[in-house]
Amino acid sequence: IFIISALLDVEIMKIGLTERKINAIFEVTYMTDGSGIDHREYNKSNEEADRLGKEAWIMCRLLFLEESMKELELKYGCNPNQKPAKVFMEEGELPFTVLNGKPGYINLLDAFNSWQLVKELKKATHMSCAASFKHVSPAGVAIGTPLTEVERQMYFVKESAEVLSPIANAYIKARGSDRMSSYGDFCALSDVCDEVTAKLINREVSDGIIAPGYTKEALEILKKKRRGTYCVLQMDPHYVPNPVEIKQV
């Protein structure tokens, strides 16, 4: 439906749509995952309209991508039965890259909210920060100060203090703030994820991570998590959202 609406705002003749093809588009009332069209409410016996409808869908989709948007197909929407689901930018490109896995709608909400939190916290404190989000709510957030001996026992840390980096310390405390609420979380790091932090994440039950970058060793570890389906997002650290953000669901 959005693609049809977007088509009205551009030069239709630019992609050579005839009047018949445009009419075929308006006949469509339900679209599948892009492989074709399910004409649930229009004449299935009309093979010509069906062919034109599919052709128009493909052309609209190409135009949609070419004109102004870069999109990403999601695993599903709010719930597993809501397919297909996509995320896109009306201006410019998406500010993140999927390095592994396939995020869902809630995954992205957790990722963006947690990223915004650690980014602003680092700006305020000038220290490494980490956050743990579950169902669009923060379960824990922390800065990367060294762990005390009491904290090492609280968070079940076996690694030596010399091995732990500031971002690793931040993750340990953020994840350990409320371990029950963080179960199956999405975590965010303000700094590049290093190997020791990846090893800490690897032993936790987690859905994904967002960070400005990953070392080669860290990425190899995370890509093997959850049998290779662990969601790894790399965020553009220089991205600044508009003062007023609009979300279409």
Side-chain angles (χ1 to χ4, degrees):
I1 301 302
F2 181 83
I3 293 176
I4 293 175
S5 300
L7 181 63
L8 301 179
D9 298 328
V10 300
E11 301 176 32
I12 293 178
M13 297 308 295
K14 183 176 181 180
I15 57 174
L17 285 180
T18 64
E19 183 178 353
R20 294 177 65 202
K21 292 177 182 178
I22 295 172
N23 289 335
I25 295 175
F26 292 129
E27 294 280 359
V28 176
T29 58
Y30 179 87
M31 292 186 287
T32 64
D33 61 0
S35 60
I37 300 175
D38 182 1
H39 308 278
R40 294 187 174 183
E41 296 181 14
Y42 100 122
N43 192 353
K44 292 185 179 180
S45 65
N46 191 337
E47 295 183 359
E48 176 66 8
D50 184 66
R51 183 184 67 79
L52 291 174
K54 290 181 179 179
E55 183 179 348
W57 161 249
I58 294 172
M59 297 179 79
C60 284
R61 183 172 175 80
L62 291 175
L63 176 66
F64 180 79
L65 293 173
E66 176 185 344
E67 284 295 320
S68 62
M69 303 180 189
K70 181 177 178 182
E71 67 173 18
L72 172 70
E73 185 172 346
L74 303 179
K75 184 166 54 178
Y76 49 74
C78 287
N79 300 295
N81 65 306
Q82 295 174 323
K83 297 181 180 181
K86 302 182 188 298
V87 59
F88 59 84
M89 295 282 288
E90 292 189 348
E91 296 181 4
E93 297 185 347
L94 293 170
F96 68 94
T97 304
V98 179
L99 301 182
N100 195 66
K102 191 172 185 179
Y105 174 67
I106 300 300
N107 289 150
L108 289 186
L109 291 184
D110 284 340
F112 296 151
N113 281 283
S114 59
W115 167 255
Q116 184 174 348
L117 177 56
V118 297
K119 181 180 180 181
E120 293 183 2
L121 187 56
K122 181 175 182 178
K123 183 179 180 181
T125 63
H126 304 288
M127 300 182 72
S128 298
C129 308
S132 170
F133 265 61
K134 182 69 180 289
H135 293 162
V136 204
S137 298
V141 61
I143 56 177
T145 54
L147 299 176
T148 65
E149 187 57 36
V150 173
E151 288 175 326
R152 290 175 59 81
Q153 296 179 39
M154 287 171 51
Y155 302 133
F156 309 104
V157 177
K158 298 179 181 179
E159 291 78 6
S160 65
E162 293 74 19
V163 172
L164 297 175
S165 61
I167 194 64
N169 286 326
Y171 173 76
I172 290 170
K173 289 187 284 186
R175 172 72 192 205
S177 296
D178 186 344
R179 301 191 70 81
M180 185 173 292
S181 296
S182 287
Y183 189 87
D185 69 339
F186 210 99
C187 58
L189 306 179
S190 65
D191 299 351
V192 171
C193 180
D194 54 20
E195 183 178 6
V196 65
T197 307
K199 288 181 178 179
L200 293 168
I201 296 171
N202 192 45
R203 66 193 190 200
E204 303 288 357
V205 178
S206 173
D207 279 355
I209 179 176
I210 185 169
Y214 303 83
T215 65
K216 180 180 178 181
E217 297 77 11
L219 190 56
E220 289 179 355
I221 293 171
L222 295 174
K223 281 186 174 182
K224 295 176 183 177
K225 186 172 173 62
R226 293 187 62 180
R227 299 181 180 179
T229 64
Y230 190 65
C231 184
V232 181
L233 306 181
Q234 181 168 324
M235 186 68 183
D236 177 5
H238 303 296
Y239 172 72
V240 179
N242 294 327
V244 178
E245 293 185 273
I246 300 175
K247 180 174 63 178
Q248 300 182 29
V249 180

